[in-house]
Amino acid sequence: MSTGSTAFEEDRRGEDVEPWQVWAPDRYRLAEGLRAHDGAMHFVDLLAGRLWRCARRPGEPPALLLDLGIPLGAAAPVRGCADEWIVAAGDGIALAGPRGEPYWLARPEADAPVPMRMNDAVCDPLGRFWATSMSADGRGAAGSLYRVGYDGAVQRMLMGLTVPNGPAFSPDGRVMYLADSAERTILRFGVDPVAGTLRGGSLFACLAPHEGRPDGMTVDDLGRLWVALWGAGQVRCYAPDGSVAGSLSLPTPHTSSVAFADGRIWVSTATHRLADPDPLAGAVLARETRVTAPAAACFGAPSVPSSAPGPRAA
C-alpha cells in the first residue's frame, strides 16, 4: 500500500488538501522533538526547557509536563514508569518527572572546552536512548552522539558533529539516520540491534543551500525517512534508497520536527532566528494523512521478547 504518494498527490492538487491546523494556541521560540506517546503528541520548547503534551482537539492549550529551567533538547518516556522521562537537557542526560529535581545519569559536556548543550534525542526500538550534543553557539565540530544503555550507562558513540539532529531509527532498529544541520547532510548507519553498536556510516543525503537544513526526522512504517527542512518551510520524504519520494509545504519557514499519530502528520515550527516572524511561526501544526509510523519507543529493556534476538545490557 503506497500511503505516502497519496499525501503528495493531494498536496499538488492544492484545493483537495486539508489546511494545516494550529494545534496549540501559543507560539514557541523553538518547538522541537515531536513524539507520539500514550495516545497523545508531545513536544519540547527547547530553549525554555519545557515538555508539553498536546490537547485532544486543536486550539486547546497543551499540558505542561516538565519545566526544567535549562534547555531541553528532547525527551522519551521511561518504560513502566508513568509520568517519568529520560531527557537530553543542559549539559547531560537525566531522568525527570513532575516531582523533584532531575536525576542525572551523566553530564558529559559539563567540562567541555567550549560551552555546550544537549540537542535532539530519541530511543531506538529496543529501548536505548540516543542523544546528541552541540556547542551553544552552533559553531565548530564539537558535538557528539551518546548512547544510554538499559543500566543508565552513557557512552559516546560519535564525535566531530556540528549541529546534530535526529537520530531516527527504522522500525526494526537496524538502520539509524543522523542529520548534521550545519553541514546540510544526513548520514546512514547500520545498527546491531542486540549490541547497540554502529557500523558502515555513509552519506545518505546532502542538501543544497536553497533546500534548507535537515532538522528533526522520523521513519514511517514503510521505512521512509521524513525530514523537517529548517528554513525551507518543507517536510521531505526520502525512500530507503535515498531518492526523494516527495515533499510537503508548510506556511512558515522554520520547520523543526515531524511525527505521525492519530491519522495526522504533525510538524513543529519556530520563531527562533526570524527577524520578522509570520503569524504561524512557532506553531505546532497538523493535518490528516494516511501515512503511519511507530509511536515513540520507551527507555528501558523490552518486557516482551521480539522475533529478533533479545537485547543484552549495552
CSV table of all heavy atoms in Angstrom, one decimal, residues 57 63 103 112 120 167 182 208 233 236 254 258 282 303 314:
chain,number,residue,atom,x,y,z
A,57,ARG,N,-7.9,18.2,21.1
A,57,ARG,CA,-8.5,18.9,20.0
A,57,ARG,C,-7.7,20.2,19.7
A,57,ARG,O,-7.1,20.7,20.6
A,57,ARG,CB,-10.0,19.3,20.4
A,57,ARG,CG,-10.9,18.2,20.4
A,57,ARG,CD,-12.3,18.6,20.8
A,57,ARG,NE,-12.4,19.1,22.2
A,57,ARG,CZ,-12.6,18.3,23.2
A,57,ARG,NH1,-12.8,17.0,23.0
A,57,ARG,NH2,-12.7,18.8,24.4
A,63,ALA,N,-0.8,20.6,27.9
A,63,ALA,CA,-0.5,20.4,29.4
A,63,ALA,C,1.0,20.5,29.6
A,63,ALA,O,1.8,19.8,28.8
A,63,ALA,CB,-1.1,19.1,29.8
A,103,TYR,N,17.3,13.5,38.0
A,103,TYR,CA,18.4,12.6,38.5
A,103,TYR,C,19.3,12.4,37.3
A,103,TYR,O,19.0,11.8,36.3
A,103,TYR,CB,17.8,11.3,38.9
A,103,TYR,CG,18.8,10.2,39.2
A,103,TYR,CD1,19.4,10.3,40.5
A,103,TYR,CD2,19.1,9.2,38.3
A,103,TYR,CE1,20.4,9.3,40.8
A,103,TYR,CE2,20.1,8.3,38.7
A,103,TYR,CZ,20.7,8.4,39.9
A,103,TYR,OH,21.7,7.4,40.2
A,112,ALA,N,33.5,20.5,28.9
A,112,ALA,CA,33.9,20.7,27.6
A,112,ALA,C,34.7,22.0,27.5
A,112,ALA,O,34.4,23.0,28.2
A,112,ALA,CB,32.8,20.7,26.6
A,120,ASP,N,19.0,17.1,20.0
A,120,ASP,CA,17.9,16.2,19.8
A,120,ASP,C,18.3,14.8,20.4
A,120,ASP,O,19.4,14.5,20.6
A,120,ASP,CB,17.7,16.0,18.2
A,120,ASP,CG,16.3,15.6,17.9
A,120,ASP,OD1,15.5,15.3,18.8
A,120,ASP,OD2,16.0,15.7,16.7
A,167,PRO,N,18.7,11.3,16.3
A,167,PRO,CA,18.7,10.3,15.3
A,167,PRO,C,17.3,9.8,15.1
A,167,PRO,O,16.4,10.1,15.8
A,167,PRO,CB,19.6,9.2,15.8
A,167,PRO,CG,19.5,9.4,17.3
A,167,PRO,CD,19.4,10.8,17.6
A,182,ALA,N,24.1,21.9,10.3
A,182,ALA,CA,25.1,22.9,9.8
A,182,ALA,C,25.8,22.4,8.6
A,182,ALA,O,26.1,23.3,7.7
A,182,ALA,CB,26.1,23.1,10.9
A,208,ALA,N,21.3,21.2,-0.9
A,208,ALA,CA,21.9,22.4,-1.4
A,208,ALA,C,21.4,23.6,-0.5
A,208,ALA,O,20.4,23.4,0.2
A,208,ALA,CB,21.4,22.7,-2.8
A,233,GLY,N,10.6,25.7,5.0
A,233,GLY,CA,9.1,25.5,5.2
A,233,GLY,C,8.6,24.3,4.5
A,233,GLY,O,7.6,24.3,3.8
A,236,ARG,N,10.3,16.8,3.8
A,236,ARG,CA,10.7,16.0,2.7
A,236,ARG,C,10.7,14.5,3.1
A,236,ARG,O,11.1,14.2,4.2
A,236,ARG,CB,12.1,16.4,2.2
A,236,ARG,CG,12.6,15.6,1.0
A,236,ARG,CD,13.9,16.1,0.5
A,236,ARG,NE,13.7,17.4,-0.2
A,236,ARG,CZ,14.7,18.1,-0.6
A,236,ARG,NH1,16.0,17.7,-0.5
A,236,ARG,NH2,14.5,19.3,-1.2
A,254,HIS,N,10.5,27.9,9.4
A,254,HIS,CA,11.4,27.2,10.3
A,254,HIS,C,10.7,25.9,10.8
A,254,HIS,O,10.2,25.9,12.0
A,254,HIS,CB,11.9,28.1,11.4
A,254,HIS,CG,13.0,29.0,11.0
A,254,HIS,ND1,13.6,29.0,9.7
A,254,HIS,CD2,13.7,30.0,11.7
A,254,HIS,CE1,14.5,29.9,9.7
A,254,HIS,NE2,14.6,30.5,10.8
A,258,VAL,N,9.1,16.5,12.8
A,258,VAL,CA,7.9,15.9,12.2
A,258,VAL,C,7.6,14.5,12.9
A,258,VAL,O,8.5,13.8,13.3
A,258,VAL,CB,8.1,15.7,10.7
A,258,VAL,CG1,9.4,14.9,10.4
A,258,VAL,CG2,6.9,15.1,10.0
A,282,GLY,N,6.4,29.3,15.0
A,282,GLY,CA,6.3,28.8,16.4
A,282,GLY,C,5.1,28.0,16.7
A,282,GLY,O,5.0,27.6,17.8
A,303,SER,N,10.0,-5.5,27.6
A,303,SER,CA,9.4,-6.5,28.5
A,303,SER,C,8.9,-7.8,27.8
A,303,SER,O,8.7,-8.8,28.4
A,303,SER,CB,8.3,-5.9,29.3
A,303,SER,OG,7.3,-5.4,28.5
A,314,ALA,N,23.8,-2.9,27.3
A,314,ALA,CA,24.8,-2.2,26.4
A,314,ALA,C,26.0,-1.8,27.2
A,314,ALA,O,25.9,-1.6,28.4
A,314,ALA,CB,24.1,-1.0,25.8
